[in-house]
Amino acid sequence: MKDIRVTGEMLATYYELNKRKKEIEAEMNALKDSFHEFFDAQIGKEDKGEVILNGFKLQRQIRRSEKYDEIATVQRLEELQMNDLIQTVKKPDGVKIKSALNLGFLQEKDLEGCMITTSSSAITVKPITPR
């Protein structure tokens, strides 16, 4: 087994880097907002653009995506009697399943092998301030 050590210095370094990361991200977001305002004023809100200054190229790309408004589209397709173009999605209702379990209509063993449990880990480092 690997001998892994965590030191106070590592924790302090992580904490400081994380703090700087948040400050840097906030500053970068402010700059991005300025760049978008510049392009909005120069070429329009939804137009791509490019400018070269001091050996740097600033570009704005516009990504577009389209999707159908689910409620309006289903309603329209039903009006047009195009039901074959509508998906029927079956999925378990977690709230109703828990209620059925609580009321005894359903037993845990009835759903054996159906429950998927996921977990994720996260690291936080905070300074401890004396009280």
Side-chain angles (χ1 to χ4, degrees):
M1 187 155 97
K2 220 176 180 182
D3 187 26
I4 300 172
R5 303 239 186 254
V6 174
T7 65
E9 184 179 319
M10 290 167 67
L11 296 176
T13 300
Y14 183 91
Y15 175 76
E16 288 302 319
L17 289 172
N18 194 44
K19 199 163 78 171
R20 286 197 338 232
K21 173 186 165 199
K22 290 178 182 177
E23 292 167 359
I24 289 168
E25 286 175 345
E27 191 173 344
M28 287 179 68
N29 286 334
L31 288 169
K32 283 186 208 177
D33 289 344
S34 295
F35 299 153
H36 280 296
E37 287 176 17
F38 169 79
F39 281 123
D40 289 349
Q42 296 296 314
I43 57 173
K45 265 197 172 306
E46 296 203 11
D47 293 316
K48 64 181 181 175
E50 175 179 303
V51 65
I52 297 174
L53 291 169
N54 297 340
F56 292 95
K57 183 184 342 183
L58 172 63
Q59 286 183 306
R60 175 167 76 175
Q61 299 172 345
I62 303 295
R63 295 184 186 107
R64 288 183 173 83
S65 65
E66 293 179 339
K67 67 178 188 175
Y68 291 100
D69 177 291
E70 290 183 13
I71 295 170
T73 306
V74 167
Q75 187 176 12
R76 181 76 45 84
L77 290 170
E78 287 174 341
E79 290 169 3
L80 296 170
Q81 298 179 354
M82 302 293 286
N83 294 328
D84 291 347
L85 304 180
I86 302 170
Q87 290 182 347
T88 302
V89 179
K90 291 185 178 186
K91 61 181 184 178
D93 186 329
V95 172
K96 289 182 180 178
I97 291 172
K98 285 186 182 194
S99 294
L101 287 167
N102 289 338
L103 294 170
F105 297 130
L106 193 61
Q107 302 298 315
E108 292 274 345
K109 65 179 179 170
D110 296 331
L111 296 175
E112 196 171 304
C114 296
M115 181 64 75
I116 299 171
T117 303
T118 58
S119 63
S120 61
S121 58
I123 300 291
T124 61
V125 176
K126 298 176 183 175
I128 299 175
T129 53
R131 293 180 184 183

